Amino acid sequence: MESLKLPQSLFSSHGGKAIVPLPTSSLLPKSTFLIYPNRKLALSTDFVTTATVALLSANIFPCRHCVVKQIRSMQFTTRSTSASVQSTADELMEGKSKDLPVSGDSIRRRFIDFYASRGHKVLPSASLVPDDPTVLLTIAGMLQFKPIFLGQVPRQVPRATTAQRCIRTNDVENVGRTSRHHTFFEMLGNFSFGDYFKKEAIRWAWELSTVEFGLPADRLWISVFEDDNEAFEIWHDEMGVPVERIKRMGEDDNFWTSGVTGPCGPCSEIYYDFHPERGYSDTDLNDDTRFIEFYNLVFMEFNKKDDGSLEPLKQKNIDTGLGLERMARILQKVSNNYETDLIYPIIEKTSELAKVPYGLADDHSKLNLKIIGDHLRAIVYLISDGVVPSNIGRGYVVRRLIRRAVRTGRMLGIKGDGQGNLEGAFLPVIAGKVIELSAHINPDVKDRTPRILEELKREELKFVQTLERGEKYLDQMLVEALLSAKASGTVPRLSGKDAFLLYDTYGFPVEITAEVAEERGVSIDMTGFDIEMENQRRQSQAAHSAVKLAMGNSADLTKDVPDTKFIGYETLSATAVVESLIVNGNPVLQVSEGSEVEVLLNRTPFYAESGGQIGDHGFLYVPQGENQHKAVMEIIDVQKSMGNIFVHKGTIREGVLEVGREVEAAVDAKLRQRARVHHTATHLLQSALKKVIGQETSQAGSLVAFERLRFDFNFHRPLIDNELAEIERLVNKWVGDAAPLQTKVMPLTEAKGAGAIAMFGEKYGEEVRVVEVPGVSMELCGGTHVSNTSEIRGFKIISEQGIASGIRRIEAVAGDAFIEYVNARDYHMKQLCSTLKVKAEEVTTRVENLLEELRITRNEASTLREKAAVYKASIMATKAISVGTSEKFRVLVESMEDTDADSLKKAAEYLIETLEDPAAVILGSCPGADKVSLVAAFTPGVVQLGIQAGKFIGPIAKLCGGGGGGRPNFAQAGGRKPENLSNALEKAQSEIISVLSEKAK
């Protein structure tokens, strides 16, 4: 490339600010250079298109002094791998820099363009939340094509290319420790669905690597499956790779399997050699210090059967993946993936907050900076895709990463938000940089910025409180370790289980635990901690670490069945032909009365469950004559299977149903109408929510049923009564407006451009159905809807509650369900008015008065019970026994029959004040069926001996089938076995006397 046309300004890929203004027509000679941060100026992603680009001639920086001054003014943090500013200036002036870096964004674009020019359909990245129950998160580029590879759905295109966002957490402990492990990464892929195979895949991978990206051919090594002679010969004979740089590897390394059974095949990988000077002898492609695997080609050509044997697939497929972060590392000539322009700006922002320059940081600080740089990418994209922190499933993945980032930031010394607020959150500040870099990964992230930052802030501040509790718990552990060591004459030591509990439950870094413990003279059992950590790691890796594909009976049952034609938008009844009958997972030719069966029809008016709307109910009839039926089947559910095949589930009520028989399919019109009403009401509800609580809220799930609707949405707090009332008012206003709905089919890009909202969890093709209530709502939706909002008749919210951290749920009714709900409430109100003998408007006042009377009565009763308990205790005080010789300890252990827990506490407090110090009081009672109450109270003289009420009462309570604890001087406990109370008190008396007698000596 002799010259390059530039836009009006150059931008730094680590900041986006104009470095040098240039006229649009500027042409620069090949002898000029690109500066990357600390070494060379980075090109904007808008104009880097080749592996080597010439920029910035001496005409732009006319003198050496100007070059040095310009570089210094950029204030880049010097990296461990960077040349000095002076040497960079020398390279610029002397023309020594030849291998110029390219941005990560340009690598992504050039990969996609490369395969698009070779007939591949460019498809968008799938969400990180997969439409697949076998995996928790999207962990590979091929996941969205799994149904095609399985033959469950027909291919829409013969070949495709994607830049897929991926999440993997099974190696989270390696993040930052190695040069290549990440939780979030991008996999660039090209796929063939029965189109091209090994020869084309290998040829294009080689051309992309050596020509498009300009990698030196003599630095590329190849691995192939040990028995794959075909791939070996293509690499050697056609691509010209020397045999000494092609390694045959075994099944563990180079044979891809989707699971115990299913599609599989050999794979071939391309490695980059960072140290070719080491030669060819004793080379190990798994040596991370020398090689990095950046491209993996999977040749999916076999089906693995139950017996382990392999049979050729009818359709051979190609599944490849090129790691964007790895290729960026190679082309940008940095020592690890974290120092590429994909991640390094995030590290720079973290360094700024921590006041720890990356280039001057020690190895441990660099590790922590890398962890935050990695984790924030994963966190931002997960939250953007609708995952919110929680204690289960995907939510736990986000919460774990957030907590790990918070812990790591505290270890780096980050205090507050870096802007003077020491009580503020720092993760949103760093997330802002991730969002800034997101334009070419997922443009939707920017639109979701408010929700992402609010979620991060809330979760971080909540976790900081947990960390502070952990600090208090650690202090308690250290006190106990010191006391225990003193009593036993051993060296104070914190167990590995305790250290892991602090780490796992309270998010307390073991490094901080060790540092604090050392200051107090306590060591840590690190071996025990490592064992606990390894146990957790094994459990983590055992779950959702692979994409599971299977070619079982379901694929065989439907392989010859065409997609079901859905005609339910236009009609609720139609004739159809029975294509298949399935009983207990097996195909049959006919089914008789009483049998439960799944029916596949060639066409159907029945809506299959999707988009949150449940499937239709109704009947299938086999006509015999006028108004007579040879067979009747009741349909109670309809589901989609294997793509677009509708499965009608139900029971044969009359006669016999056969394959090939023509039937009359009739949907229950009343139930369909109830579903239509609730589905349209759901759209209106979402619009009302956005108006009342903010546009940033978004759907997180829904259910459209016959009797109610349920809508889940992202929001950080409960809705107040006024907000719920306003939401109801808006929806009912739109219902009263009697607005006609408009439904149309249009290209997906056009629909999104018009502002249509995508329904949560749905996958869309190139053509989409758009449902619009003019001026109110526009959504992509395949569900059934009313033709006019007046059909909804009325809308009422029946509940609003939180179901997970940051997720709220509204349940509501509309249409017939609304009328039924209002009538039921009216009936109950009339009954209540009759019972209370008041008018409806007086019910609230009357109930409040009754509650106040009840509260006063209960307080009086409680006071009387406490006085009675204290009176009993005053009589019991005379039963206290003395223990010891030189110093007398008063001990009282008694049962107080059916005294309630509060009164038992008052009695113990009275006794401990009455008896002289030192004294110990243990009381028990059975206040109800299957209920035991226990209390232990010790005076200061007993506590000073190291005897703690909280620790003493716990084992006693276990005898009664319960537990408990409390402070050193006072503790309460409970149980469920009243029959054991007598024995428990006897044991309590025996043990307290024994301990005190020993201490008295």
Side-chain angles (χ1 to χ4, degrees):
M1 184 174 181
E2 292 300 320
S3 61
L4 178 69
K5 189 177 232 183
L6 297 179
Q8 289 187 331
S9 63
L10 292 177
F11 289 77
S12 161
S13 68
H14 281 229
K17 295 181 179 179
I19 297 173
V20 185
L22 291 174
T24 305
S25 61
S26 294
L27 292 174
L28 301 177
K30 188 174 182 179
S31 60
T32 54
F33 310 99
L34 177 70
I35 305 176
Y36 192 74
N38 295 312
R39 308 191 314 180
K40 309 178 183 88
L41 283 173
L43 281 173
S44 163
T45 59
D46 292 332
F47 53 80
V48 178
T49 56
T50 60
T52 57
V53 182
L55 289 179
L56 304 183
S57 70
N59 293 326
I60 300 174
F61 292 133
C63 66
R64 174 175 177 137
H65 169 74
C66 296
V67 174
V68 176
K69 181 178 179 181
Q70 177 68 21
I71 295 172
R72 285 174 177 163
S73 70
M74 294 169 68
Q75 296 182 345
F76 289 125
T77 303
T78 303
R79 305 188 205 178
S80 58
T81 58
S82 300
S84 67
V85 171
Q86 184 64 49
S87 63
T88 303
D90 290 340
E91 286 185 6
L92 284 169
M93 299 307 298
E94 296 169 15
K96 292 180 180 178
S97 181
K98 299 185 184 299
D99 299 319
L100 306 178
V102 291
S103 71
D105 289 337
S106 74
I107 295 171
R108 182 192 306 108
R109 189 184 67 249
R110 289 163 61 187
F111 179 95
I112 295 297
D113 290 347
F114 179 89
Y115 282 103
S117 68
R118 287 155 180 80
H120 291 67
K121 176 70 173 179
V122 179
L123 297 177
S125 170
S127 168
L128 289 174
V129 180
D131 185 21
D132 188 324
T134 69
V135 286
L136 197 64
L137 295 164
T138 297
I139 61 174
M142 57 76 62
L143 192 61
Q144 65 171 301
F145 305 116
K146 172 180 168 180
I148 301 175
F149 288 141
L150 286 174
Q152 296 173 346
V153 298
R155 70 181 191 184
Q156 301 299 314
V157 293
R159 56 182 74 172
T161 183
T162 64
Q164 176 64 52
R165 307 186 299 276
C166 299
I167 292 281
R168 290 182 191 173
T169 59
N170 53 323
D171 284 321
V172 67
E173 297 299 333
N174 286 325
V175 169
R177 298 182 185 278
T178 71
S179 62
R180 58 184 176 82
H181 280 101
H182 300 289
T183 52
F184 174 89
F185 59 94
E186 286 189 80
M187 190 63 74
L188 310 179
N190 56 287
F191 306 90
S192 168
F193 313 113
D195 187 13
Y196 63 83
F197 201 48
K198 288 183 185 179
K199 183 177 293 187
E200 294 85 350
I202 290 173
R203 173 163 53 85
W204 285 333
W206 186 254
E207 183 182 348
L208 177 81
S209 301
T210 60
V211 179
E212 177 65 27
F213 289 131
L215 299 181
D218 58 1
R219 284 200 173 206
L220 302 185
W221 291 62
I222 308 298
S223 70
V224 296
F225 179 55
E226 56 192 358
D227 295 334
D228 192 354
N229 294 323
E230 180 185 2
F232 187 99
E233 290 170 0
I234 295 172
W235 282 116
H236 176 57
D237 297 338
E238 299 191 30
M239 300 301 106
V241 181
V243 293
E244 58 268 24
R245 292 210 311 274
I246 306 177
K247 294 287 186 181
R248 293 183 183 267
M249 302 179 77
E251 187 172 338
D252 290 343
D253 293 301
N254 278 67
F255 194 89
W256 183 85
T257 59
S258 60
V260 178
T261 62
C264 57
C267 57
S268 181
E269 297 158 330
I270 309 178
Y271 293 78
Y272 185 81
D273 185 358
F274 291 105
H275 296 285
E277 72 277 2
R278 297 182 186 176
Y280 296 153
S281 61
D282 299 325
T283 51
D284 178 7
L285 293 181
N286 292 318
D287 178 3
D288 284 351
T289 66
R290 177 173 178 180
F291 298 102
I292 186 170
E293 173 212 334
F294 65 88
Y295 209 162
N296 184 18
L297 317 177
V298 176
F299 310 125
M300 205 180 297
E301 56 181 317
F302 300 111
N303 176 43
K304 192 173 185 180
K305 301 168 68 176
D306 290 333
D307 60 4
S309 62
L310 302 178
E311 63 178 3
L313 287 174
K314 294 179 181 178
Q315 175 180 294
K316 295 181 179 181
N317 305 302
I318 289 294
D319 161 26
T320 82
L322 181 147
L324 175 61
E325 290 78 8
R326 299 185 182 191
M327 180 58 82
R329 172 193 172 187
I330 296 169
L331 293 179
Q332 295 178 9
K333 300 187 182 303
V334 291
S335 61
N336 58 72
N337 296 359
Y338 296 92
E339 295 184 9
T340 66
D341 68 340
L342 296 166
I343 306 175
Y344 190 68
I346 308 167
I347 292 177
E348 279 190 314
K349 174 56 71 173
T350 310
S351 295
E352 178 185 320
L353 293 178
K355 297 179 174 59
V356 179
Y358 181 82
L360 303 177
D362 57 29
D363 289 344
H364 188 66
S365 294
K366 281 186 177 179
L367 167 64
N368 290 332
L369 289 168
K370 291 174 183 176
I371 288 173
I372 293 179
D374 168 89
H375 285 11
L376 259 294
R377 293 211 303 164
I379 292 164
V380 165
Y381 290 109
L382 281 168
I383 295 177
S384 175
D385 280 356
V387 183
V388 295
S390 70
N391 288 328
I392 58 172
R394 302 178 183 103
Y396 179 71
V397 173
V398 180
R399 174 160 286 170
R400 181 186 178 197
L401 293 175
I402 289 175
R403 292 187 169 188
R404 199 162 188 261
V406 173
R407 293 197 317 262
T408 305
R410 286 169 70 94
M411 291 171 68
L412 282 167
I414 298 177
K415 300 292 185 182
D417 60 6
Q419 299 172 0
N421 181 9
L422 296 181
E423 302 300 322
F426 72 89
L427 291 186
V429 179
I430 302 172
K433 177 58 68 174
V434 180
I435 294 168
E436 182 183 321
L437 297 171
S438 69
H440 297 278
I441 305 175
N442 181 8
D444 294 335
V445 173
K446 186 176 181 181
D447 297 334
R448 298 162 185 163
T449 296
R451 179 162 58 87
I452 295 169
L453 299 185
E454 181 62 32
E455 199 69 54
L456 274 172
K457 176 182 176 182
R458 183 169 57 253
E459 187 71 13
E460 178 182 344
L461 295 181
K462 182 168 63 176
F463 180 54
V464 166
Q465 296 175 353
T466 303
L467 271 176
E468 290 170 353
R469 290 197 298 271
E471 290 170 348
K472 295 177 182 177
Y473 193 41
L474 171 59
D475 184 67
Q476 180 182 336
M477 285 181 171
L478 295 177
V479 169
E480 292 175 1
L482 288 167
L483 288 174
S484 176
K486 184 177 180 181
S488 61
T490 58
V491 176
R493 186 177 178 84
L494 196 65
S495 72
K497 284 191 175 182
D498 282 343
F500 183 76
L501 177 67
L502 284 165
Y503 171 83
D504 193 47
T505 303
Y506 294 96
F508 218 69
V510 70
E511 296 88 351
I512 293 181
T513 301
E515 183 179 329
V516 175
E518 184 179 356
E519 292 173 357
R520 303 278 288 275
V522 180
S523 63
I524 294 182
D525 176 14
M526 288 305 300
T527 301
F529 175 85
D530 291 339
I531 291 173
E532 296 295 326
M533 182 68 79
E534 182 60 31
N535 289 339
Q536 187 200 58
R537 185 179 291 114
R538 281 200 299 268
Q539 293 172 2
S540 175
Q541 289 178 334
H544 302 291
S545 60
V547 180
K548 296 180 180 179
L549 303 182
M551 298 181 70
N553 290 338
S554 58
D556 296 335
L557 292 173
T558 59
K559 64 181 180 181
D560 296 323
V561 178
D563 285 351
T564 310
K565 182 179 181 181
F566 177 60
I567 54 176
Y569 293 134
E570 299 83 21
T571 182
L572 296 182
S573 62
T575 58
V577 175
V578 176
E579 297 282 355
S580 179
L581 297 170
I582 304 170
V583 177
N584 296 325
N586 298 306
V588 296
L589 294 177
Q590 65 178 30
V591 286
S592 56
E593 185 175 322
S595 299
E596 293 184 356
V597 62
E598 297 178 348
V599 180
L600 309 185
L601 304 174
N602 66 327
R603 65 181 196 150
T604 183
F606 284 84
Y607 182 84
E609 180 175 330
S610 62
Q613 180 177 333
I614 66 173
D616 280 329
H617 292 192
F619 291 89
L620 297 182
Y621 302 104
V622 177
Q624 188 171 25
E626 186 175 352
N627 298 323
Q628 292 189 358
H629 303 116
K630 184 177 180 180
V632 177
M633 176 185 174
E634 182 181 8
I635 304 296
I636 59 170
D637 189 21
V638 184
Q639 298 285 331
K640 283 185 181 180
S641 178
M642 305 301 173
N644 204 36
I645 296 175
F646 287 37
V647 180
H648 305 72
K649 301 180 180 182
T651 304
I652 305 298
R653 297 302 182 192
E654 298 178 19
V656 176
L657 186 62
E658 302 169 333
V659 173
R661 176 71 65 178
E662 186 174 84
V663 297
E664 295 176 0
V667 174
D668 186 319
K670 290 184 178 180
L671 292 182
R672 165 67 80 83
Q673 178 64 8
R674 292 171 77 108
R676 295 170 65 203
V677 162
H678 279 141
H679 206 149
T680 305
T682 300
H683 287 208
L684 298 181
L685 171 58
Q686 177 162 222
S687 293
L689 277 166
K690 287 180 176 293
K691 281 184 174 293
V692 174
I693 65 175
Q695 291 294 323
E696 68 275 7
T697 189
S698 62
Q699 181 180 345
S702 69
L703 172 67
V704 176
F706 305 131
E707 70 280 1
R708 64 190 169 99
L709 68 87
R710 187 180 74 207
F711 188 81
D712 300 340
F713 57 100
N714 296 295
F715 204 55
H716 60 278
R717 61 167 175 82
L719 272 62
I720 60 176
D721 291 343
N722 287 345
E723 290 170 331
L724 292 172
E726 178 62 12
I727 290 167
E728 279 188 355
R729 187 195 70 78
L730 279 171
V731 174
N732 283 309
K733 174 188 178 298
W734 294 329
V735 170
D737 288 343
L741 270 71
Q742 298 176 4
T743 303
K744 61 184 75 172
V745 176
M746 63 177 68
L748 177 60
T749 53
E750 182 180 333
K752 286 188 173 181
I757 299 174
M759 297 293 284
F760 178 83
E762 284 294 287
K763 296 179 70 175
Y764 300 99
E766 293 185 8
E767 296 283 323
V768 293
R769 185 170 180 261
V770 178
V771 177
E772 181 179 7
V773 181
V776 177
S777 167
M778 181 188 291
E779 298 191 16
L780 308 182
C781 184
T784 62
H785 289 272
V786 299
S787 58
N788 189 292
T789 59
S790 62
E791 295 177 43
I792 297 175
R793 300 164 70 188
F795 172 86
K796 182 67 181 176
I797 294 174
I798 58 178
S799 70
E800 190 276 340
Q801 61 183 329
I803 59 171
S805 177
I807 300 291
R808 309 295 301 175
R809 170 173 290 173
I810 284 179
E811 294 194 3
V813 288
D816 285 350
F818 165 77
I819 302 299
E820 292 163 2
Y821 177 81
V822 171
N823 287 339
R825 294 293 287 265
D826 182 61
Y827 170 79
H828 292 303
M829 176 57 77
K830 288 178 179 177
Q831 292 292 102
L832 187 59
C833 290
S834 175
T835 301
L836 296 176
K837 295 181 172 40
V838 295
K839 298 177 181 179
E841 59 268 24
E842 298 171 349
V843 166
T844 301
T845 302
R846 179 60 178 143
V847 170
E848 288 175 349
N849 291 337
L850 288 172
L851 289 174
E852 179 61 18
E853 292 173 12
L854 179 61
R855 185 188 65 80
I856 293 172
T857 302
R858 283 178 173 173
N859 287 342
E860 291 174 349
S862 177
T863 301
L864 289 173
R865 285 194 299 270
E866 289 176 0
K867 287 181 178 179
V870 170
Y871 176 74
K872 287 181 183 180
S874 67
I875 298 173
M876 285 180 184
T878 59
K879 297 182 180 181
I881 61 176
S882 297
V883 177
T885 54
S886 60
E887 184 179 8
K888 296 294 184 179
F889 295 88
R890 260 65 60 187
V891 174
L892 180 62
V893 181
E894 287 291 329
S895 170
M896 294 191 70
E897 301 175 343
D898 60 352
T899 303
D900 65 90
D902 289 339
S903 300
L904 195 70
K905 176 184 176 184
K906 289 290 184 182
E909 290 172 344
Y910 169 82
L911 287 168
I912 212 67
E913 292 175 0
T914 302
L915 298 174
E916 294 181 11
D917 187 22
V921 174
I922 296 121
L923 301 177
S925 67
C926 299
D930 300 327
K931 194 170 184 181
V932 174
S933 290
L934 291 163
V935 63
F938 298 163
T939 63
V942 174
V943 175
Q944 287 172 4
L945 296 175
I947 307 172
Q948 298 186 13
K951 291 189 174 181
F952 182 86
I953 201 66
I956 303 301
K958 285 185 179 179
L959 298 176
C960 297
R967 304 187 305 274
N969 66 319
F970 195 92
Q972 288 180 280
R976 301 180 302 278
K977 298 179 179 179
E979 65 273 14
N980 293 349
L981 178 60
S982 177
N983 291 336
L985 291 176
E986 287 181 9
K987 182 175 178 60
Q989 180 167 309
S990 169
E991 289 195 359
I992 195 65
I993 291 175
S994 174
V995 173
L996 289 174
S997 297
E998 182 65 27
K999 296 291 184 181
K1001 293 179 182 179

